[in-house]
Amino acid sequence: MGEVAAEALAEHHAPATAPPAEAVRPVERAEPPPDIWNVANLLTMVRLLLVPVFTALLFAAGGHDPKWRSVAWASFAIAMITDLFDGELARRKGLVTDFGKIADPIADKAIMGAALIGLSALGDLPWWVTAVILARELGITLMRFWVIRHGVIPASRGGKVKTLTQGIAVGMYVLELTGWLATARAVLMGAAVLLTVGTGADYVRQAVRLRRAGLARARTGA
């Protein structure tokens, strides 16, 4: 009641003209944090759950049955599609959570790692290709943590092209292809390896520059 009376008294003694618009400031309300059970995180969880499913399908019936490999490809394709949408959806809709920041890159590397290791174990993909790609992915992840207190290394356009090329190439290796399609996937995988190495070197350059700048700011502020 006291607040109501005060408002009524203020209105009674207020001037007839309204105050200027710039004097009226809206009350700022803190936005509640997004719920962890949002659509972006659910897509990430689906991708994580698909890792053991994809692995089982890849090795089903000895690992070289065309029908099972086609089903394995379908599960891999679903995982890659969710990878394209969950991060972008989280940013656009304000659904970024701490869980998503951690789970999303883990899901990406888990499905790709399972595919690369599985294909190499089946003899379909040279082990050196798997080693190069996984070493790059693990190294860049560790490097991001190394410089995280100095800043964030943004995802480059080259990195996005690399991810897309890797996904298509690995997906083609999951399928039992012959003839010119088998040749095409080998060429595409070669391009993916080159992009993997090239973008990895660029990330290293950015990380070193970011860390040097951060250390310089720390010395200046000290």
Side-chain angles (χ1 to χ4, degrees):
M1 291 295 293
E3 292 180 0
V4 174
E7 291 177 1
L9 183 63
E11 291 177 0
H12 177 73
H13 292 284
T17 58
E22 59 270 13
V24 180
R25 296 183 179 179
V27 177
E28 296 184 359
R29 297 181 179 179
E31 291 291 334
D35 185 9
I36 189 174
W37 297 105
N38 60 62
V39 63
N41 284 348
L42 289 176
L43 289 175
T44 300
M45 293 176 194
V46 167
R47 195 156 71 259
L48 283 169
L49 293 173
L50 280 173
V51 174
V53 173
F54 163 76
T55 304
L57 292 172
L58 183 64
F59 284 92
H64 292 286
D65 186 290
K67 293 180 180 179
W68 283 110
R69 291 287 284 263
S70 297
V71 179
W73 175 87
S75 65
F76 181 80
I78 292 172
M80 291 295 99
I81 291 172
T82 62
D83 182 27
L84 293 175
F85 285 104
D86 60 355
E88 187 67 23
L89 188 63
R91 288 187 291 272
R92 288 189 178 185
K93 301 295 184 180
L95 301 176
V96 177
T97 63
D98 290 338
F99 170 82
K101 292 177 184 178
I102 297 173
D104 183 63
I106 290 176
D108 297 344
K109 290 168 180 55
I111 190 68
M112 184 59 69
L116 290 168
I117 294 173
L119 289 169
S120 292
L122 290 170
D124 295 331
L125 186 67
W127 275 107
W128 70 266
V129 173
T130 295
V132 168
I133 294 177
L134 292 185
R136 185 269 190 198
E137 298 301 332
L138 180 59
I140 295 303
T141 300
L142 294 175
M143 187 165 294
R144 286 181 182 276
F145 284 110
W146 180 54
V147 300
I148 194 169
R149 67 189 183 95
H150 302 295
V152 176
I153 305 175
S156 65
R157 180 173 298 179
K160 294 178 180 178
V161 173
K162 178 270 303 179
T163 301
L164 180 62
T165 306
Q166 276 185 8
I168 296 174
V170 171
M172 291 180 71
Y173 268 89
V174 172
L175 292 170
E176 288 285 317
L177 301 178
T178 58
W180 69 269
L181 286 174
T183 302
R185 73 181 180 183
V187 172
L188 191 61
M189 182 59 77
V193 171
L194 291 176
L195 286 169
T196 297
V197 175
T199 55
D202 182 60
Y203 275 121
V204 171
R205 179 186 59 81
Q206 292 186 60
V208 171
R209 180 183 298 178
L210 188 62
R211 188 171 188 273
R212 286 177 178 174
L215 293 175
R217 287 195 300 269
R219 287 193 296 268
T220 303

